[in-house]
C-alpha cells in the first residue's frame, strides 16, 4: 500500500473484552491514545465516534491490529463492512520491529502497532473476509489439526504408560477408547471437507489443479487455497512464502556478524507443517525433487535448508497452476530459453 494515501495510522491492541487504540500521524506528532473500548458492536460505534472527533475518516486512515483469532474477528469484519482499510499482522512481526520496552500495557502496545503501520505501510496487505465456504473449510482444517495433536499426545502417553511394570487396565482401555473416538472424528471431518469442496465447482476445480502436482494431497491443496484467498489471488509466491514463514532472511552486520539465513517461523503453523511433510514426500518419490535434494546435499547444504527450498518450489508451482488454470505437466519444458534452469 502507498503511505501517501493515508494521513492517520491507527494501532489497535485488542483483547477478549476490550481494546485500546492509538492514532499515529508522523514521528514529530504526539500519539493520541484511548483505552477501554468494549470489544462489542457498541464499543465499535463509540470508537468510531472518537475517531470522528479526531477528524479521522475511512478515506484518510489505516487500521492495523494483530491477528488474535476470534478476539480480532468481530472488529475486522465490522470495520471492513464500514469500508475502512484494515490490516491484520502476525504479533511476532510487530514484536520484532521494536526493542524490548520496560512497560507492557495495552496503551504501549497500541502505540507500537500504530507506529509499525506507519513504518511498514508498503509491506502491509489490506484484509478482506473469506467467503463463507472458505471460512467453513478453514474451521474444518483447524479442528482436524487440533484432533490430530490430541490423538498424538494420547498415543505418546499410552506408549509411555505401557512401559510401567505395574499398570491399571482401565487407564489403557480409556486411552485406547479416546484414540479410537478421535480417529473417527478426524475421518468424519475429512469426509465433510471433501463434501464441501465438491459442492463448489470453483474450489473443486482449483483443488484438482493443485493435487496434480507432486506432493500435493487434499489437505495441502486446501490450505494453499485458504492462504491464497486470504492474501489475494494476484499475490506472488514470494509473498505467500514470507507469510507462511518459509522465506529465509539474512542476518549480517559488518564483517563480524554473519549468521546463516533462516526462516523466521511466524505464520500459519498448519501450512508450514503440511509443506514440510510434502517436501519430504516429494524428495522421496519424485525424481526431479529427489535429484535436486541429493545434489544440494552433495554440495554440503543442510537437510533442513534443502527441504525448505523444496517447499518454496512447491509454493511456486502451486501459484503457477492456479494462475494459468492448468494442471501440472510432469515433463514440462519452457519454450522460453531464458526460463530454462537446471533442477
Amino acid at each position: 500500500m502507498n503511505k501517501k494515501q493515508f494521513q492517520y495510522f491507527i494501532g489497535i491492541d485488542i483483547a477478549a473484552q476490550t481494546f485500546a487504540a492509538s492514532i499515529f500521524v508522523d514521528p514529530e506528532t504526539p500519539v493520541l491514545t484511548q483505552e477501554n473500548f468494549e470489544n462489542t458492536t457498541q464499543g465499535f460505534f463509540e470508537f468510531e465516534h472518537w475517531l470522528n472527533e479526531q477528524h479521522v475518516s475511512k478515506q484518510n486512515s489505516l487500521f492495523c491490529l494483530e491477528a488474535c483469532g476470534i478476539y480480532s474477528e468481530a472488529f475486522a469484519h465490522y470495520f471492513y463492512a464500514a469500508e475502512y482499510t484494515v490490516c491484520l499482522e502476525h504479533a511476532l512481526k510487530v514484536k520484532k520491529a521494536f526493542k524490548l520496552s520496560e512497560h507492557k500495557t495495552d496503551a504501549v502496545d497500541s502505540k507500537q502497532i500504530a507506529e509499525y503501520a506507519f513504518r511498514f505501510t508498503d509491506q502491509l496487505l489490506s484484509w478482506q473476509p473469506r467467503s463463507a465456504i472458505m471460512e467453513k473449510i478453514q474451521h474444518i482444517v483447524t479442528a482436524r489439526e487440533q484432533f490430530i495433536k490430541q490423538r498424538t499426545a494420547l498415543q505418546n502417553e499410552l506408549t509411555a504408560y505401557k512401559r510401567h511394570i505395574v499398570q491399571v487396565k482401565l487407564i489403557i482401555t480409556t486411552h485406547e477408547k479416546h484414540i479410537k473416538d478421535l480417529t473417527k472424528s478426524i475421518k468424519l471431518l475429512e469426509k465433510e471437507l471433501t463434501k464441501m469442496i465438491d459442492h463448489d465447482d470453483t474450489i473443486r476445480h482449483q483443488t484438482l489443479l493443485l493435487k496434480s502436482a507432486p506432493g500435493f494431497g487434499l489437505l495441502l491443496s486446501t490450505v494453499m487455497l485458504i492462504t491464497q484467498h486470504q492474501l489475494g489471488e494476484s499475490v506472488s509466491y514470494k509473498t505467500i512464502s514470507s507469510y507462511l514463514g518459509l522465506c529465509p532472511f539474512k542476518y549480517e552486520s559488518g564483517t563480524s556478524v554473519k549468521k546463516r539465513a533462516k526462516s523466521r517461523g511466524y505464520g500459519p503453523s498448519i501450512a508450514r507443517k503440511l509443506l514440510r511433510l510434502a517436501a519430504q514426500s516429494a524428495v522421496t518419490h519424485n525424481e526431479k525433487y529427489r535429484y535436486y535434494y541429493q545434489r544440494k546435499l552433495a554440495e554440503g547444504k543442510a537437510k533442513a535448508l534443502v527441504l525448505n527450498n523444496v517447499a518454496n518450489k512447491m509454493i511456486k508451482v502451486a501459484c503457477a497452476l492456479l494462475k494459468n488454470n492448468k494442471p501440472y505437466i510432469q515433463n514440462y519444458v519452457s519454450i522460453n530459453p531464458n526460463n530454462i534452469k537446471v533442477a
Side-chain angles (χ1 to χ4, degrees):
M1 285 184 286
N2 188 350
K3 184 178 294 186
K4 293 181 180 180
Q5 69 184 104
F6 303 110
Q7 182 181 354
Y8 301 100
F9 300 85
I10 318 300
I12 312 294
D13 182 68
I14 201 157
Q17 303 297 329
T18 62
F19 66 91
S22 293
I23 303 175
F24 189 99
V25 178
D26 57 59
E28 306 300 325
T29 305
V31 179
L32 185 62
T33 302
Q34 182 71 30
E35 298 183 72
N36 297 322
F37 290 108
E38 292 185 4
N39 191 5
T40 62
T41 302
Q42 179 61 30
F44 301 155
F45 178 80
E46 294 174 359
F47 170 60
E48 195 170 13
H49 179 71
W50 176 70
L51 291 178
N52 291 333
E53 291 179 344
Q54 315 307 323
H55 308 292
V56 177
S57 68
K58 65 185 70 175
Q59 291 80 18
N60 63 14
S61 64
L62 181 150
F63 288 7
C64 184
L65 61 157
E66 296 173 345
C68 300
I70 57 175
Y71 294 166
S72 57
E73 183 176 292
F75 183 98
H77 278 271
Y78 180 93
F79 285 99
Y80 175 84
E83 299 182 349
Y84 285 86
T85 302
V86 180
C87 301
L88 265 64
E89 282 291 279
H90 196 283
L92 188 57
K93 290 183 70 175
V94 179
K95 180 181 178 180
K96 286 190 173 183
F98 296 91
K99 294 181 179 179
L100 292 177
S101 173
E102 294 182 1
H103 302 285
K104 176 69 172 68
T105 65
D106 294 344
V108 170
D109 288 346
S110 67
K111 289 178 182 178
Q112 287 187 341
I113 296 171
E115 182 182 344
Y116 176 90
F118 173 81
R119 289 166 52 190
F120 300 100
T121 309
D122 59 328
Q123 299 179 27
L124 296 179
L125 295 173
S126 178
W127 178 87
Q128 57 183 7
R130 290 187 288 260
S131 63
I133 186 170
M134 290 305 299
E135 195 71 27
K136 291 178 180 178
I137 288 174
Q138 169 72 80
H139 292 170
I140 291 176
V141 171
T142 302
R144 179 189 177 278
E145 181 66 15
Q146 292 171 345
F147 290 165
I148 289 286
K149 289 181 179 179
Q150 293 173 22
R151 186 179 66 176
T152 301
L154 285 172
Q155 288 172 335
N156 292 339
E157 290 175 8
L158 180 58
T159 300
Y161 185 77
K162 285 182 176 180
R163 297 179 65 88
H164 283 285
I165 302 300
V166 179
Q167 301 178 0
V168 178
K169 182 62 176 179
L170 178 61
I171 294 177
I172 295 176
T173 55
T174 303
H175 272 68
E176 289 176 342
K177 181 180 182 302
H178 286 334
I179 292 170
K180 184 178 179 180
D181 290 343
L182 284 170
T183 300
K184 182 179 179 180
S185 297
I186 291 168
K187 290 181 178 179
L188 287 174
L189 286 173
E190 292 172 349
K191 184 178 180 180
E192 181 65 19
L193 178 61
T194 302
K195 179 181 177 182
M196 199 168 290
I197 290 173
D198 288 341
H199 281 182
D200 188 287
D201 292 339
T202 301
I203 296 177
R204 178 176 174 274
H205 175 67
Q206 291 177 329
T207 302
L208 290 174
L209 289 178
L210 292 177
K211 288 174 67 176
S212 68
F216 278 82
L218 176 64
L219 286 172
L220 179 56
S221 300
T222 302
V223 168
M224 288 302 300
L225 286 179
I226 291 171
T227 303
Q228 192 203 44
H229 278 254
Q230 184 169 345
L231 299 180
E233 294 185 0
S234 60
V235 71
S236 69
Y237 78 91
K238 291 183 179 179
T239 301
I240 293 178
S241 176
S242 179
Y243 171 75
L244 296 179
L246 291 171
C247 180
F249 292 92
K250 292 184 178 179
Y251 190 99
E252 298 179 356
S253 179
T255 59
S256 59
V257 179
K258 288 187 179 294
K259 296 184 179 180
R260 64 182 180 85
K262 64 177 182 178
S263 303
R264 293 177 179 174
Y266 46 68
S269 58
I270 298 177
R272 285 202 310 276
K273 168 190 169 183
L274 291 175
L275 277 165
R276 177 53 63 91
L277 292 174
Q280 292 174 340
S281 175
V283 299
T284 302
H285 302 289
N286 183 267
E287 182 179 353
K288 290 184 177 180
Y289 283 125
R290 183 169 63 250
Y291 172 76
Y292 171 82
Y293 178 73
Q294 292 174 346
R295 181 166 64 84
K296 289 300 179 181
L297 291 183
E299 293 175 4
K301 304 294 184 181
K303 289 183 179 180
L305 174 63
V306 183
L307 286 173
N308 193 79
N309 291 348
V310 171
N312 278 288
K313 287 177 178 289
M314 297 177 76
I315 295 174
K316 186 175 183 179
V317 168
C319 290
L321 297 181
L322 294 174
K323 180 180 179 181
N324 298 325
N325 196 30
K326 293 181 179 179
Y328 181 81
I329 301 174
Q330 184 65 36
N331 297 315
Y332 173 79
V333 178
S334 174
I335 60 175
N336 183 355
N338 293 327
N339 289 339
I340 299 177
K341 297 181 180 179
V342 179

